[in-house]
Amino acid sequence: MSAFIKKIIRNRFMLLMILPGTIWFLIFAYLPMFGTVLAFKDFRISPDGFFASVFNSEWVSFKNFEYLFTTNDAYIITRNTILYNMAFIILGLVVAVGFAMLLNELLNKRLAKIYQTGMFLPHFLSWIIISYFAFTFLSVDKGTLNQIITFFGGDPVSWYSEGKYWPYILVFVGIWKGVGYNSVIYLAAITGIDKSYYEAAVIDGASKWKQARYITLPLLKPLMIILTILAIGGIFRSDFGLFYQLPKDSGALYPVTNVIDTFVYRGLVNMGDIGMSTAAGLYQSMVGLVLILLSNYIVRKIEKDHALF
Amino acid sequence: MPQYPTAGHDPAPQARSKRDYNAISPFWNVIFNIIIGVFAFSCIFPFLFVIMISLTDEQTLAMEGFSLWPSQFSTAAYSYIFQTGGELLSSFSLTLLITVLGTLINLTLVTTYAYALSRRSFEFRGFFSFVAFFTMLFSGGMVPGYIVMTQFLHLQNTIWSLILPLSLSAFSIIVMRTFFQTTVPDEIIESARIDGAGEFTTFVRIVLPVSLPGIATIGLFSSLGYWNDWFNALLYYNDPQKTPPLQYLLMQIEKNMDFLTQNAQNLGSFDAAAGIPTETVRMAMVVLATLPIIMAYPFFQRYFVQGLTVGSVKG
C-alpha cells in the first residue's frame, strides 16, 4: 500500500493536472452510466434529491424493456437507425473516397482548393440552419421543388407530410453535409502516399485507372477500415439533428424519420417516460458496444495492424 | 517524357513538368471539374438562396414563392430586425459568452488531460487513457445524462447547462495527446527541468506555446460546437422567460413567429405587429446567425484540416 502512495506522490503533478478532466468524466460520463439502472426501475422523483430518487424507485426488472419491445416502435426505430446508418456508411465511404481521388487529380490546384472550401461549408453549419435551407426547397407553397414540379405541369407535393420521399431526402442531406469533411481526411491520406509508387507504376505503363485500383485504394484501405469500424460501432446512434430538425419534428413522418435517439428524446420530453427511455438508451449503448468490439475483433483476425485496439 | 526544369526564367514548363508524366488528360480534367464543381456549388448555393430570400419583398414572396431573383427587392426584414432586434442582440451576446467561456474551459480540460497522457513518465497513463477512451465506447445515454443535469447538479436553465456538457471529449484528448507527443519531444521538457522549471511552469511556458497550432485546432472545434449547439438548450435551457441561445432562437421562430409578434408588442407598436415580414425575417435571422461562421471559416478551415489529419492518425 505504501508503494502505491509513493507512486501517487511521485506522480502528484500529473495527477493534479488530470484531476479536472477526470472529475468531468466522472460526472458527465460515468455517473450517467450508473444512471442506466433506471432502465430497471420505475423512476419516481423523491424530494430528498437525486440519489434518494434513484434508490427509492421501485425495481421492476425487465418491465421497461418488455414494454419497449412489445410495441411496434422498437422494430421501426431499430430498422430505421440501422438502414439509414448503413446507407451513410456505404454511400458516404464511396462518395468521400471518390471525391478525394477526383480532387487529387484536378490539374488546377487553386480551383481544387476552392471546391474543397465550398464542400466543407455545410459541416460548419448547424442542423437548424440546414433545416431552413431544406425548407426553401421543400416548402409546400413557396418551395423551389414544388415550383419546378408545377412548372412542368405536376401537382405540388406536401413534402413535410409524405413519408415516402424522406428516406431519399435524409440520406441525400446526410451525405451532402458530411462528405466535405470526410473527403478531406481521405485527401490528406492520398497526398501522403509516396510519389515514387506512382512513378514506378507509370514506368511500368499503368494507366490512371490501374494506379487508382492498385496503389491508391489499397493504401487507403487501413484508413477506410478504421473509419468504417468506428462508423459500425456507432450504427445504433444517429445524428439527432438530421432526424429531428430536418423533417421539422413532423408527426406524419415518424414512421420513416424516427430513430432510437429521437425516440428516446420524445419518450423523455413528450411522455415523461423515464424508465422506457432509459431502457431504449441502454439498448442502444449495449448493442453499440458489442458491435464496436465485434467489428474490431473481426478486423484484428483479418489484419492485426488495422485494428483500433 | 519528364521535362526537367530549366534555369528558372521560364516558369511555365517548370510548373508543367511536375505533372506532365502522370496527369489526367484535359478532357477528364474538365469532367472531374464539372462533377466536383457542381457538388461544391450545391454546398454554398442554399446560403446564397437564403440571402436572396431575405432580401425579397414580403408580398412578392407570398405571390412568387422563393426565387433566386425576385421581381421586387426589399430590405424590410433587416430594418425590422435592427429596429426591434433586442431579442436577437441579447441572443447573440449570450451565444458569444457561452462560446468564449466554453472554449476556454474546454481548452483547459483538454490540454491538461492530454498533456498528462502524453508524458511517458506519468505512471497512471494507462488507467486514465482508459477512463477517457471508454466513454467513446459506452455511454449512459440521454436520459441518465438529463437526470444528472437536472436532479443532481440542478443546473437547468443556467448557462452552465449549455457549457458543461460540451466541455470535454475523448476525441479532442486523442487529437491533443497525439499533437503533444509529436511536437513536444521529451528532450525539451527534460532541458526545461534541468534549467529549474517546475512541472507547471514547463507546461505553461514551454509546452503550450509550442503547441499553439494544436490548441487552435481544438479551440476551433470547440467554439464551433458551442456556436452551433441547440440540443442542450432544447433539453436544459427552455424557460420561455430566458433569452435563448442563437440556434435555439432560430428553432423557436421556425416553429412560430409569435414571439417576434410579441416582441413588437412589447415595444408598444401594435400596428407593426400586423405587418411583420415574417417569412423574410426568418431568413434574415438565418443569414445573421450564419454570417460570423461564413466570414471566419475560410481562415480557420486550414486548422480544421490539420486537426482532422492529426486526429485520424492512429494514436
Side-chain angles (χ1 to χ4, degrees):
Chain A
M1 198 60 207
S2 80
F4 183 69
I5 291 170
K6 266 188 194 142
K7 202 172 160 187
I8 288 182
I9 293 171
R10 207 164 45 234
N11 292 285
R12 62 189 179 279
F13 284 109
M14 287 301 138
L15 285 170
L16 206 63
M17 283 191 87
I18 216 162
L19 186 66
T22 310
I23 292 172
W24 188 93
F25 277 125
L26 286 180
I27 295 177
F28 291 96
Y30 287 94
L31 196 55
M33 284 182 204
F34 291 110
T36 52
V37 297
L38 293 175
F40 306 98
K41 288 193 163 208
D42 183 18
F43 186 69
R44 295 262 182 274
I45 290 180
S46 152
D48 300 330
F50 169 71
F51 289 106
S53 312
V54 175
F55 285 120
N56 295 342
S57 296
E58 201 186 326
W59 287 102
V60 291
S61 71
F62 286 93
K63 274 268 161 43
N64 287 318
F65 289 93
E66 257 170 55
Y67 184 57
L68 171 67
F69 288 108
T70 46
T71 58
N72 204 15
D73 292 334
Y75 165 70
I76 290 176
I77 57 174
T78 308
R79 178 201 67 184
N80 285 353
T81 309
I82 290 179
L83 288 183
Y84 280 122
N85 272 317
M86 275 170 62
F88 291 137
I89 292 171
I90 297 165
L91 274 176
L93 181 73
V94 172
V95 177
V97 172
F99 275 167
M101 287 167 76
L102 294 192
L103 273 171
N104 188 49
E105 294 298 336
L106 295 183
L107 296 182
N108 187 335
K109 294 299 170 205
R110 269 189 61 189
L111 218 50
K113 201 93 204 155
I114 293 171
Y115 295 149
Q116 215 184 318
T117 307
M119 285 164 68
F120 219 163
L121 178 66
H123 175 72
F124 290 84
L125 304 178
S126 75
W127 279 114
I128 312 281
I129 303 285
I130 306 282
S131 77
Y132 273 96
F133 286 177
F135 183 72
T136 63
F137 291 94
L138 301 177
S139 161
V140 178
D141 52 342
K142 304 189 192 71
T144 308
L145 274 185
N146 275 352
Q147 286 178 32
I148 295 172
I149 290 172
T150 45
F151 179 79
F152 286 105
D155 289 324
V157 178
S158 172
W159 299 100
Y160 287 99
S161 54
E162 292 221 30
K164 60 184 169 188
Y165 304 108
W166 280 87
Y168 305 103
I169 297 173
L170 290 170
V171 169
F172 175 81
V173 178
I175 300 271
W176 173 82
K177 192 173 193 282
V179 76
Y181 177 96
N182 288 318
S183 56
V184 163
I185 297 177
Y186 287 112
L187 186 61
I190 292 174
T191 44
I193 295 173
D194 193 339
K195 291 286 169 287
S196 55
Y197 287 121
Y198 295 103
E199 283 159 17
V202 172
I203 292 167
D204 289 346
S207 65
K208 266 282 155 199
W209 173 245
K210 285 206 163 133
Q211 290 173 36
R213 214 180 134 191
Y214 296 107
I215 300 173
T216 314
L217 284 178
L219 287 173
L220 283 184
K221 212 173 84 184
L223 186 59
M224 297 203 284
I225 290 175
I226 286 174
L227 293 182
T228 306
I229 298 177
L230 278 175
I232 290 173
I235 205 167
F236 253 52
R237 308 199 167 278
S238 21
D239 198 334
F240 184 87
L242 173 65
F243 293 96
Y244 184 81
Q245 295 295 349
L246 205 69
K248 292 175 175 288
D249 191 21
S250 163
L253 302 177
Y254 283 0
V256 285
T257 59
N258 214 1
V259 286
I260 302 175
D261 293 84
T262 52
F263 177 81
V264 172
Y265 171 76
R266 285 173 187 136
L268 173 70
V269 171
N270 300 351
M271 296 181 280
D273 193 337
I274 301 253
M276 192 177 68
S277 298
T278 314
L282 183 60
Y283 160 62
Q284 180 183 38
S285 285
M286 285 310 295
V287 179
L289 177 65
V290 170
L291 281 174
I292 199 163
L293 293 179
L294 197 69
S295 42
N296 187 65
Y297 174 80
I298 293 167
V299 174
R300 194 192 269 280
K301 282 277 157 206
I302 303 167
E303 227 164 338
K304 204 163 186 270
D305 294 344
H306 296 166
L308 265 179
F309 44 85
Chain B
M1 265 304 281
Q3 271 185 330
Y4 292 101
T6 45
H9 45 260
D10 187 8
Q14 189 180 356
R16 212 180 299 127
S17 70
K18 271 171 99 179
R19 59 180 191 232
D20 256 359
Y21 67 93
N22 191 24
I24 48 171
S25 69
F27 171 75
W28 282 109
N29 185 41
V30 170
I31 302 281
F32 286 2
N33 264 288
I34 290 173
I35 295 173
I36 298 187
V38 166
F39 181 78
F41 183 70
S42 84
C43 289
I44 51 168
F45 174 75
F47 184 65
L48 301 176
F49 196 31
V50 166
I51 294 179
M52 294 313 284
I53 295 171
S54 73
L55 288 170
T56 304
D57 177 64
E58 186 75 14
Q59 256 150 29
T60 313
L61 191 71
M63 286 188 313
E64 294 178 3
F66 301 137
S67 74
L68 199 54
W69 202 259
S71 56
Q72 190 85 41
F73 284 93
S74 158
T75 52
Y78 290 95
S79 45
Y80 175 79
I81 290 175
F82 287 116
Q83 270 162 27
T84 60
E87 185 80 13
L88 182 73
L89 199 69
S90 49
S91 197
F92 244 102
S93 13
L94 175 71
T95 310
L96 203 64
L97 172 73
I98 290 163
T99 304
V100 172
L101 203 60
T103 303
L104 287 177
I105 294 174
N106 181 290
L107 283 177
T108 312
L109 293 183
V110 171
T111 48
T112 48
Y113 204 104
Y115 177 65
L117 290 194
S118 78
R119 299 286 294 126
R120 247 171 279 279
S121 60
F122 181 44
E123 288 168 274
F124 296 98
R125 270 172 82 201
F127 173 73
F128 284 101
S129 298
F130 180 80
V131 166
F133 302 148
F134 185 68
T135 61
M136 288 175 97
L137 299 180
F138 185 80
S139 84
M142 187 188 301
V143 183
Y146 176 83
I147 292 171
V148 165
M149 185 61 90
T150 57
Q151 303 292 315
F152 179 65
L153 298 169
H154 296 287
L155 290 178
Q156 196 156 26
N157 288 316
T158 67
I159 67 164
W160 297 108
S161 68
L162 301 174
I163 290 177
L164 289 176
L166 301 175
S167 293
L168 190 59
S169 80
F171 177 74
S172 313
I173 290 177
I174 295 180
V175 173
M176 205 60 227
R177 186 203 58 183
T178 314
F179 199 90
F180 283 141
Q181 277 172 348
T182 46
T183 54
V184 191
D186 280 346
E187 292 79 49
I188 294 183
I189 292 162
E190 291 307 323
S191 64
R193 197 66 41 75
I194 291 165
D195 290 346
E199 294 271 7
F200 187 72
T201 321
T202 315
F203 177 64
V204 175
R205 303 281 294 275
I206 312 275
V207 176
L208 289 186
V210 180
S211 316
L212 272 181
I215 293 170
T217 310
I218 299 300
L220 289 168
F221 271 123
S222 168
S223 35
L224 205 71
Y226 280 110
W227 185 268
N228 280 338
D229 178 54
W230 47 273
F231 185 65
N232 289 304
L234 182 68
L235 276 182
Y236 308 121
Y237 199 81
N238 36 28
D239 181 354
Q241 302 298 319
K242 294 209 160 193
T243 300
L246 208 48
Q247 306 289 336
Y248 191 58
L249 177 85
L250 284 172
M251 229 179 114
Q252 286 179 324
I253 64 166
E254 191 179 28
K255 284 213 171 88
N256 57 20
M257 211 57 194
D258 288 351
F259 107 6
L260 271 185
T261 328
Q262 269 168 14
N263 208 15
Q265 282 170 351
N266 292 342
L267 283 160
S269 51
F270 280 87
D271 297 336
I276 294 174
T278 48
E279 205 66 61
T280 52
V281 167
R282 282 178 217 231
M283 296 303 173
M285 299 274 252
V286 171
V287 173
L288 293 176
T290 315
L291 222 49
I293 291 181
I294 300 270
M295 291 193 303
Y297 108 100
F299 302 101
F300 57 69
Q301 187 196 6
R302 189 166 62 91
Y303 285 110
F304 263 79
V305 173
Q306 244 176 33
L308 286 178
T309 325
V310 173
S312 58
V313 171
K314 199 175 154 188

